[in-house]
Amino acid sequence: MDHGRAQREGWIMIAVSSLKVIANRGGSAIANCGVAIRPLPAVLAHGLTPQDMRSVMAARPSSRTLEAGQSLYFQGDDCEKVYLMLDGWAFRYQTLEDGRRQILDFALPGSAFGLPGTGVMTHSLETLTACTFTVFTRTGLCELLQRVPVLALRLVELLAGAEARAFEHLTNVGRRTARERVANLLVELLVRSRQMVRAARRSHMTLPLMQPHIADALGLASETVCRSLSALRKEGIVTLRAHRLDVLDIVRLARQAGVELDTTLPVEFQVKSDRAA
Amino acid sequence: MDHGRAQREGWIMIAVSSLKVIANRGGSAIANCGVAIRPLPAVLAHGLTPQDMRSVMAARPSSRTLEAGQSLYFQGDDCEKVYLMLDGWAFRYQTLEDGRRQILDFALPGSAFGLPGTGVMTHSLETLTACTFTVFTRTGLCELLQRVPVLALRLVELLAGAEARAFEHLTNVGRRTARERVANLLVELLVRSRQMVRAARRSHMTLPLMQPHIADALGLASETVCRSLSALRKEGIVTLRAHRLDVLDIVRLARQAGVELDTTLPVEFQVKSDRAA
DNA sequence: CGTTAGGTTGACGACGATCAATGACGGTGG
DNA sequence: CCACCGTCATTGATCGTCGTCAACCTAACG
């Protein structure tokens, strides 16, 4: 863990009492043990002038920190707040009356929630690791977006990306077999986590999920997820245990997932897999 | 309809030769037989000043008209255009290599496509009826959104709504049974169509879909859709034949769909169902 | 050690996919 | 006017994937 780098980049390191939790969950712990100075995630802050940033601060965003396993909001809450996620892992989900649960998206830094116009939240959010969020009031954000149009533009792009991801999930759940779904989700998480952290070309990552999470994200039973993972493991494609994902053969994983490697994955990954193959 | 103004503003009025098609398909025909004067759908145009509208026109949007069954773009096209849908019915879908198809969303006037940042389209769009679109270049729209921040705000709301709808589809496909999915989709389409047209409280509508569309939207086989519809028909809940949907018992339909009537449906609907029950 | 949470494996059944045949239209051409 | 055709809807029979239920295992922790 590089405290120096963290401070250079404008982070305050604090002695967090939830270190135990972080260690247990094995989440993206490194990024979690500080409170943000900058109120915007990198995706949104990119390209803003100092003047713009002053406008952002003028909107008086507050900060909210949650430990693992807590809820930021629930389905049915009226949404007068808008949240930007700065750090951690979380998931958004809907539940039906009889308890069936569908995980809609895994939220990583740079995600935005709470925008759906007027009305109530149509889903809930629960954290998987310690998380920090920036909180705007709806009106505050609206004024800010008027004042700093670039930011609105960024937000549009961000939301368009979220829609695209939701679409991928939809065809995954609607039209793929259990094994394909699992493989596809693993690839997605791998890609997304690598887009954020400029981590090495390591073929492993730490996933703060449990199998029921995967199941609910894919519209499967957790036993089916377990069986699919066992199969992938037996075939030497991936191993997933205790929140650690090792990709042994990314080429075959991508093939199982029904994904074009070239378009989705950075090149280093494909080189890596040549070794494995 | 003001032809003079239309021409001043750079729109071409054309005698549409696809009237027969429109009649056959039974789509929202009334709205389809001309090219819009206004370049923005109502949702986006709402609240714009004349000055704003001049900025919109300065972005030089063009218009595109498609007949039923044509494609606006395909998965894999690079997306340098942004489309706003003005009229008609269409659907967005993804296909897997082996031909499996997932319909992601039914597009109605007010939908926006082509925004997903840089890169290529991740899905295709095909029309169900004759459709008209406004086309912006990506850069043109970006500049416009900077110049007219309200518009960016509207777009954010619009996209947030699209995400919410995608989420609904996801839990529908991931966690509901065949019958529930069908019922849910019918309710969604009913609600959406009523939000647009200020149609009477009629309990019927014209759906320019075929059963395979419903199937691909719900992750089902078309035979299963047929069986589900038969069951709903036998129980006197809905009838759907030849593009005409009649809702006989909206309360039971909503119950099957796992939807709260109060939140989703306008009140008149519930009154209607009291008669039926 | 006992407890607990999460993962693993097996047996069985159900929901829905698939395959196939038939029916209902609407359009077309004789 | 009727025969023919293509498209789409319908219905039945069979099969397979995945959900459900249950038992067992493993590891972490007190």
Side-chain angles (χ1 to χ4, degrees):
Chain A
M1 190 182 305
D2 181 355
H3 288 226
R5 173 161 161 253
Q7 278 166 16
R8 261 197 320 279
E9 295 189 0
W11 294 88
I12 306 173
M13 304 305 296
I14 57 172
V16 179
S17 65
S18 57
L19 274 179
K20 202 182 60 183
V21 175
I22 293 170
N24 287 349
R25 297 327 218 103
S28 49
I30 305 95
N32 280 338
C33 25
V35 170
I37 288 181
R38 48 173 182 131
L40 297 183
V43 251
L44 288 181
H46 175 255
L48 292 200
T49 66
Q51 172 58 37
D52 290 338
M53 282 310 282
R54 273 191 291 279
S55 298
V56 171
M57 297 316 296
R60 304 224 147 278
S62 62
S63 170
R64 176 110 185 257
T65 303
L66 261 52
E67 296 185 9
Q70 296 188 306
S71 291
L72 183 61
Y73 52 78
F74 287 102
Q75 203 169 339
D77 291 358
D78 23 49
C79 49
E80 73 278 346
K81 304 284 189 185
V82 179
Y83 302 95
L84 302 180
M85 186 156 174
L86 295 178
D87 271 305
W89 281 68
F91 64 96
R92 305 201 268 168
Y93 65 98
Q94 282 183 337
T95 51
L96 308 185
E97 317 68 49
D98 59 2
R100 284 175 284 179
R101 179 176 75 167
Q102 175 69 42
I103 291 185
L104 308 164
D105 192 28
F106 291 104
L108 267 54
S111 301
F113 332 109
L115 292 150
T118 161
V120 299
M121 298 300 303
T122 59
H123 65 274
S124 313
L125 185 145
E126 186 177 320
T127 60
L128 290 163
T129 67
C131 289
T132 64
F133 305 88
T134 299
V135 188
F136 289 88
T137 63
R138 170 172 309 282
T139 57
L141 185 73
C142 283
E143 287 166 17
L144 173 59
L145 292 183
Q146 310 273 74
R147 200 180 312 277
V148 187
V150 213
L151 194 54
L153 208 58
R154 288 282 122 72
L155 202 52
V156 167
E157 287 168 3
L158 198 152
L159 284 174
E163 188 192 44
R165 208 165 50 241
F167 283 171
E168 297 291 340
H169 295 163
L170 195 49
T171 76
N172 204 24
V173 170
R175 284 306 183 202
R176 283 200 248 256
T177 67
R179 290 193 48 163
E180 293 172 324
R181 293 185 214 183
V182 172
N184 194 296
L185 178 62
L186 295 183
V187 171
E188 180 204 318
L189 293 175
L190 202 56
V191 170
R192 287 180 68 192
S193 89
R194 292 207 71 245
Q195 284 172 348
M196 306 202 15
V197 204
R198 87 174 81 277
R201 61 208 56 186
R202 289 172 303 165
S203 61
H204 66 90
M205 67 178 291
T206 155
L207 276 186
L209 315 173
M210 294 178 307
Q211 291 188 1
H213 292 121
I214 301 180
D216 284 340
L218 298 176
L220 297 171
S222 66
E223 293 91 334
T224 305
V225 170
C226 181
R227 281 185 248 266
S228 303
L229 284 171
S230 309
L232 292 175
R233 188 183 312 137
K234 281 201 192 74
E235 299 170 18
I237 297 179
V238 297
T239 62
L240 174 58
R241 17 178 314 280
H243 296 159
R244 179 185 163 103
L245 171 71
D246 281 273
V247 179
L248 308 176
D249 188 337
I250 188 103
V251 168
R252 277 202 292 157
L253 181 63
R255 188 155 31 222
Q256 299 269 333
V259 166
E260 311 291 325
L261 265 185
D262 350 271
T263 63
T264 328
L265 283 175
V267 188
E268 312 105 89
F269 256 114
Q270 298 173 51
V271 180
K272 168 78 193 169
S273 63
D274 289 345
R275 257 188 280 156
Chain B
M1 201 177 297
D2 179 353
H3 288 226
R5 174 155 162 257
Q7 278 165 13
R8 253 187 283 116
E9 295 188 358
W11 293 89
I12 307 171
M13 303 303 295
I14 56 172
V16 180
S17 64
S18 58
L19 276 176
K20 201 182 59 183
V21 175
I22 293 171
N24 287 347
R25 297 327 220 100
S28 46
I30 305 92
N32 281 337
C33 27
V35 170
I37 290 182
R38 41 162 192 139
L40 296 183
V43 248
L44 289 181
H46 174 252
L48 293 199
T49 67
Q51 171 59 36
D52 290 339
M53 282 310 280
R54 273 191 291 278
S55 298
V56 171
M57 296 319 295
R60 303 224 145 279
S62 61
S63 171
R64 178 112 184 254
T65 303
L66 260 52
E67 296 186 8
Q70 295 188 305
S71 292
L72 183 61
Y73 52 78
F74 287 101
Q75 203 169 339
D77 291 0
D78 24 50
C79 49
E80 71 278 346
K81 303 284 191 187
V82 178
Y83 303 94
L84 302 180
M85 187 157 174
L86 295 178
D87 271 304
W89 281 68
F91 65 94
R92 305 201 268 168
Y93 64 98
Q94 283 183 335
T95 52
L96 308 185
E97 317 69 47
D98 59 3
R100 282 175 284 180
R101 179 176 77 168
Q102 176 68 43
I103 292 185
L104 307 164
D105 192 28
F106 291 104
L108 267 55
S111 302
F113 333 108
L115 292 150
T118 162
V120 299
M121 298 301 301
T122 60
H123 66 272
S124 313
L125 184 144
E126 186 177 320
T127 59
L128 290 163
T129 68
C131 290
T132 64
F133 305 88
T134 300
V135 188
F136 290 89
T137 63
R138 168 172 310 285
T139 56
L141 185 72
C142 284
E143 286 165 19
L144 173 59
L145 293 183
Q146 310 274 76
R147 202 180 313 276
V148 187
V150 213
L151 193 54
L153 207 58
R154 287 283 123 72
L155 203 52
V156 166
E157 287 168 4
L158 197 152
L159 284 174
E163 188 192 44
R165 207 165 53 239
F167 283 171
E168 296 291 341
H169 295 162
L170 196 47
T171 76
N172 204 23
V173 170
R175 285 305 183 203
R176 283 201 248 255
T177 67
R179 289 190 50 162
E180 292 172 324
R181 294 185 213 182
V182 172
N184 194 294
L185 178 62
L186 294 184
V187 171
E188 180 204 318
L189 293 175
L190 202 56
V191 171
R192 287 181 67 192
S193 88
R194 292 209 69 245
Q195 284 172 346
M196 307 202 11
V197 204
R198 84 175 82 276
R201 60 207 59 184
R202 290 171 303 163
S203 62
H204 65 91
M205 66 178 291
T206 154
L207 275 186
L209 315 173
M210 293 178 305
Q211 291 188 3
H213 292 121
I214 302 180
D216 284 339
L218 298 176
L220 296 171
S222 66
E223 293 91 335
T224 305
V225 171
C226 181
R227 281 184 249 266
S228 303
L229 285 172
S230 309
L232 291 175
R233 188 182 314 136
K234 281 201 191 76
E235 298 170 19
I237 298 179
V238 299
T239 63
L240 175 58
R241 18 179 314 281
H243 298 161
R244 179 186 164 105
L245 172 70
D246 282 272
V247 179
L248 307 176
D249 188 338
I250 187 101
V251 169
R252 278 201 292 157
L253 180 63
R255 188 155 32 222
Q256 299 269 334
V259 166
E260 311 291 325
L261 266 186
D262 350 88
T263 64
T264 327
L265 283 174
V267 188
E268 312 104 90
F269 257 113
Q270 299 172 53
V271 179
K272 167 80 194 168
S273 63
D274 288 345
R275 257 186 279 157

